[in-house]
Amino acid sequence: MTDTLAPRGTQSSSRRIVTEIPGPESQKLHARRVATVSAGVSATFPIYVDHAHDALVVDVDGNQFIDFTGGIGVMTVGHTNEALVQAVTEQVSKVTHTLFAVAGYEPYIAVCELLAKHTPGTFAKKSVLVNSGAEAVENAVKIARKHTGRTEIAVLYHGYHGRTNLTASMNYNMHPYGTGFGPLAGSVHHAPNSSPFHDGLTGAQAAERTITHLEKRVGASQIACLFVEPIQGEGGFIVPAEGYLGALVDWCRANGIVYVSDEVQSGMARTGAYFASEHFGIEPDLVTSAKGIGGGMPIAAVTGRAEIMDASHPGGLGGTFGGNPVSSAAVVAVFNEVEKRNLLGEAKRVGATLMPLLLDLQKKHPVIGDVRGIGAMLALEFVDPATGKPAADVTKAVQTHALHKGVLILTAGTFGNVLRFLPPVVITDDQLREAVAVMDDALSSL
Ligand code: PLZ
């Protein structure tokens, strides 16, 4: 690593708390924030970040945290990855913007080639690049509607797809995404999902329930697209029962419905595969990606069957910043890093280290109802052992305890009773063990 790229002062490979949390500098920034940043933007943690490297984040007071959040699953390659920093730096000094639809540039095309190669399925694929996961979902809807000539959109219970008007309409949780923001978009239909821990159904039974719901409530011939997160992210890392996704894909194909895998959270090496759909042996018609593909630079994509992606007339898709050269250069660097540093293997290693530790934790603490996930996308669900009810208070208490001990962990789940782990896959085994020990302490102290 060259000096100019060296992250300033990650002091050791471990956590290091040197002030109260939040420290005085974070408190000052928070006061400025409250005065000027919209109250509509929430703050999970009261700290403000100065710099970060790999799986460590350092706040403005010099407190160093092990990062189990990865900026909600974005920093898969690690913070300030050297190759990414270099690619972005080089691109910034070459050209930062032309608007691809006005005058094109190579990195945009390179990203589309990489996505065609690494999304599931060997058929001819094309992509459009946009700025955010929500924008990718919006565009996938447009493309599917144009391709099918149909209007209706199907989504699953406990799903999450974004914060724009249409995507907020596609989320399961009305609060906080939709409350008071109506009218929300019409033509969106929510159907039961598969969640083995909660419904006890086989994949075939759950698929029959989903399909029957959509056939009765909407009619297969009316549906343009079905959106499915292969592992539901915000919903609490819900891994569907075996055979569920395959049955949905078959049903979509038989009925001319475009099957969209929303891989914004589960995609790009997170689960030990480029895209989580691979674990379920499915080939979606379209895949939406964002977060991890840019390694921290804003970019997102819709990728899929060439004949579907070409449905739009010229000028129907796009936007000023979509596939920005700097963000595109970042994506190319991320794909290179995944290959060069075997990050699919690293994601599997994270799972292989973390899963047994979490299962041990479950044996010790009966409030952990379920341990689930794939690769570096794992979660704990907390359930009151006496009543079987979601234990959101325990979840929150562990999160808060961990923050004060130097570990950043996110919650998830419709009922807020899931702790989800989305660390950079370059996190070390020691850091994983340390973070689990902190959760163990937290649970023992409750
Ligand atoms: N689809 C599956 O997980 C974003 C939301 C963070 P954007 N999830 C994190 C927050 O509170 O806003 C997400 C996702 C799935 C779509 C999106 C939306 O991606 O890049 O946040 O628009």
Side-chain angles (χ1 to χ4, degrees), residues 42 44 71-74 131-137 159-164 167 171 176-177 228-235 262-266 288-291 299-300 377 420:
S42 62
T44 304
I72 315 200
V74 170
N131 303 291
S132 68
E135 209 187 331
V137 172
Y160 179 89
H161 301 286
R163 288 176 179 275
T164 58
T167 57
N171 296 342
Y177 310 114
V228 181
E229 298 162 80
I231 300 173
Q232 293 184 311
E234 301 300 307
D262 184 346
E263 295 247 21
V264 166
Q265 195 156 158
S266 58
T288 52
S289 59
K291 292 189 186 282
I299 189 162
M377 187 172 185
R420 60 173 147 166

Side-chain angles (χ1 to χ4, degrees), residues 192-196 199-211 239-248 280:
N193 63 336
S194 164
S195 182
D199 61 30
L201 299 180
T202 65
Q205 290 166 335
E208 192 185 335
R209 183 173 68 171
T210 306
I211 291 165
V239 183
E242 203 186 321
Y244 176 72
L245 298 182
L248 293 188
F280 305 95

Side-chain angles (χ1 to χ4, degrees), residues 33 54 59 80 118 162 196 202 213 219 272 280 296 316 321 335 363 368 379 397 440:
R33 174 210 187 109
D54 285 348
D59 77 4
T80 52
H118 292 295
T202 65
H213 181 98
F280 305 95
F321 292 120
F335 272 104
K363 279 188 209 124
I368 300 174
D440 191 5

